[in-house]
Amino acid sequence: MFPWLAFGHILPFLQLAKIMAKKGHKISFVSTPRNIDRLPQLPPSLITFVKLPLPPVDGLPTTAEATTDLPPNQVQYLKKSLDLLQQPVTQLLGSLRPDWIFYDFAQYWTGPIAAQLGIKSSFFSICIPAFLGFLGPPSVLIDGGDYRKKPEDFTVAPNWVDFPTTVAYTYYDIKNTFDCVEDDASGVNDLIRIGLSARNCDVVTVRSCSEFDSDWLRLLDNIYEKPVLPVGQLPPPPPAAEADPTAWGSIKEWLDEQGSGSVVYVAFGSEAKPSQDQLTELALGIENSGLPFFWVLRTRRGESDPDEIELPPGFEERTRGRGIVCTSWAPQLRILGHDSVGGFLTHSGWSSVVEALSLRRALILLTFYSDQGINARVLEERELGYCIPRDESDGSFTRDSVAESLRVVMVSEEGKIYRDRAKEMSGLFGDRGRQSRYVDNLLAHLLNNE
């Protein structure tokens, strides 16, 4: 297992690795030393962790080994450093001689290395089929043959999508994401990486289930011209009872005092960070909603992030008792699983979506970049999430739109559909038996195609 250096990628890779390992397969999990040290502790011998130090490159702080350690404009240097691991990875595969290697989009060079060594490979996408399908065939991504040249071209479904769908980027989401089509310090943009990853593997695996993504999975089969296998939604296991009892104790005590389904949980993952203007409108909207809230707030991304954001003056004093702002790590699964939490204001990262829906929590959506815009449209199309209204050109939003969106989803009759749909989907997203069967099917394919 060889994930991209982002915890939104590392943790789904680890979850799939744990399920495979528990079914009797030997797993080597490859990442950098600091990333491996930050992972949850596992039972001895379940998985072998392999630490590959990142080569130094200009522009990359020596302490940065994951996207969460860096402001967005420095992630390009992380990719440049990652690309220098091709020789160490070749040597590692030559010594381990695995039957299969699962690699991420950034390591587009892994498939050819594995093939030279007689090792089968899978590009494993933690992004959903709709995102991959919207991007298009490898030839379009690699050769620059995409007929879509301007941001506006991405605001409708592409011509290779052969079924009715409203899934497409909003103008502001694609504008925020458009830098991925420009070459960066590594010399290889993200679209080319995805295209080469899909082209140069034996099988594509994707975080998905056919009950939810049947049309998009069929489309991927057609445009990739090779097997595309869903591995399930990979819901996380229930948190261990002994994990961080002190931190959880004080949070639980506050949640226990709130009414059932009354609390809005607010968190934007390990990478998404609002601008100062966005943070101000968010905070004042949350305040004006009148709802109790628990907010996990990241004020900067890594030590080298020069743009620390701040809450509006007096916000915490005015909301004291009604809400909590946590600027350190918080046990998200425990919080989402508490009866007092009714809704989740999220960036639409798919791991957060899976956690929320498996625990029956309604979704209020505020996207920032990358695949989040497509994720939000999929959820909106299925009436599984309510997007905060924004200015179509620049993505700005107001405190009033935030407050109204929270009240719609949490308490209004109009928003009952989102509360009901989240409960309906909990069986699909949180069913561990179903998840196990998806991995059984995947393993059967791997064993039959060694």
Side-chain angles (χ1 to χ4, degrees), residues 70-301:
L70 296 163
N73 64 345
Q74 291 183 12
V75 172
Q76 57 183 320
Y77 304 113
L78 195 63
K79 291 178 188 146
K80 185 175 181 180
S81 179
L82 178 73
D83 288 344
L84 296 176
L85 286 178
Q86 293 180 49
Q87 187 57 37
V89 168
T90 302
Q91 294 171 343
L92 178 66
L93 290 177
S95 63
L96 290 177
R97 288 287 168 180
D99 299 299
W100 284 84
I101 179 167
F102 282 59
Y103 63 90
D104 214 329
F105 83 98
Q107 298 94 304
Y108 65 96
W109 35 263
T110 305
I113 290 173
Q116 290 171 4
L117 295 170
I119 297 165
K120 297 283 190 175
S121 67
S122 173
F123 164 43
F124 173 34
S125 172
I126 62 96
C127 297
I128 63 174
F131 177 70
L132 296 178
F134 191 88
L135 292 185
S139 58
V140 166
L141 301 174
I142 298 165
D143 304 328
D146 199 335
Y147 69 92
R148 302 170 297 180
K149 304 298 183 185
K150 306 184 299 296
E152 296 89 333
D153 298 334
F154 291 80
T155 60
V156 294
N159 57 23
W160 50 79
V161 175
D162 58 359
F163 54 89
T165 181
T166 58
V167 172
Y169 276 105
T170 59
Y171 181 80
Y172 56 81
D173 269 326
I174 191 59
K175 196 169 68 169
N176 288 343
T177 306
F178 223 60
D179 59 356
C180 75
V181 305
E182 302 295 331
D183 285 342
D184 56 25
S186 73
V188 185
N189 70 45
D190 285 356
L191 296 182
I192 294 175
R193 288 176 187 268
I194 292 170
L196 289 170
S197 292
R199 173 181 284 179
N200 293 329
C201 64
D202 294 289
V203 60
V204 174
T205 44
V206 60
R207 185 181 196 176
S208 168
C209 55
S210 56
E211 297 93 332
F212 190 77
D213 288 313
S214 58
D215 286 336
W216 290 104
L217 286 168
R218 179 182 53 78
L219 177 69
L220 289 183
D221 270 328
N222 293 337
I223 65 176
Y224 285 168
E225 299 179 319
K226 63 180 58 180
V228 176
L229 302 178
V231 303
Q233 296 290 357
L234 299 174
E242 68 277 5
D244 297 288
T246 305
W248 170 237
S250 58
I251 295 170
K252 182 179 184 299
E253 184 176 337
W254 182 83
L255 291 172
D256 285 345
E257 296 171 356
Q258 312 307 314
S260 177
S262 66
V263 175
V264 180
Y265 176 60
V266 184
F268 302 119
S270 60
E271 295 183 38
K273 189 189 82 172
S275 67
Q276 183 59 61
D277 287 345
Q278 288 174 331
L279 178 67
T280 298
E281 294 303 310
L282 263 174
L284 296 176
I286 290 169
E287 179 181 350
N288 293 346
S289 75
L291 297 167
F293 64 89
F294 191 101
W295 188 354
V296 181
L297 175 63
R298 295 199 68 204
T299 58
R300 63 193 301 191
R301 269 185 57 168

Side-chain angles (χ1 to χ4, degrees), residues 288-426:
N288 293 346
S289 75
L291 297 167
F293 64 89
F294 191 101
W295 188 354
V296 181
L297 175 63
R298 295 199 68 204
T299 58
R300 63 193 301 191
R301 269 185 57 168
E303 298 172 0
S304 59
D305 186 352
D307 301 318
E308 186 167 6
I309 52 177
E310 297 180 346
L311 289 165
F315 171 81
E316 290 185 86
E317 290 76 13
R318 294 192 301 272
T319 59
R320 182 165 286 122
R322 179 163 69 83
I324 290 178
V325 177
C326 173
T327 55
S328 59
W329 178 87
Q332 179 158 297
L333 272 180
R334 288 187 177 280
I335 295 169
L336 284 173
H338 195 280
D339 286 343
S340 68
V341 175
F344 184 10
L345 174 51
T346 173
H347 60 313
S348 308
W350 204 251
S351 289
S352 292
V353 168
V354 170
E355 291 176 7
L357 291 180
S358 65
L359 293 168
R360 303 158 64 94
R361 302 300 174 234
L363 296 169
I364 309 102
L365 309 174
L366 185 69
T367 56
F368 291 90
Y369 57 85
S370 190
D371 60 328
Q372 296 164 17
I374 295 297
N375 294 349
R377 302 291 89 70
V378 168
L379 295 167
E380 196 174 40
E381 184 178 68
R382 306 290 185 88
E383 296 184 301
L384 288 168
Y386 184 91
C387 294
I388 292 176
R390 302 168 75 166
D391 183 276
E392 193 65 27
S393 60
D394 64 10
S396 60
F397 53 88
T398 67
R399 63 199 69 178
D400 291 340
S401 66
V402 172
E404 178 62 18
S405 298
L406 293 176
R407 287 193 292 262
V408 163
V409 174
M410 293 291 293
V411 297
S412 78
E413 185 62 28
E414 175 191 350
K416 186 174 183 294
I417 181 64
Y418 301 103
R419 301 190 293 273
D420 289 346
R421 290 282 288 144
K423 293 170 185 173
E424 290 170 17
M425 297 306 291
S426 64

Side-chain angles (χ1 to χ4, degrees), residues 43-85:
S45 77
L46 186 64
I47 293 171
T48 301
F49 289 98
V50 180
K51 297 180 177 181
L52 284 183
L54 278 177
V57 299
D58 290 342
L60 183 67
T62 55
T63 57
E65 296 186 10
T67 54
T68 190
D69 303 324
L70 296 163
N73 64 345
Q74 291 183 12
V75 172
Q76 57 183 320
Y77 304 113
L78 195 63
K79 291 178 188 146
K80 185 175 181 180
S81 179
L82 178 73
D83 288 344
L84 296 176
L85 286 178

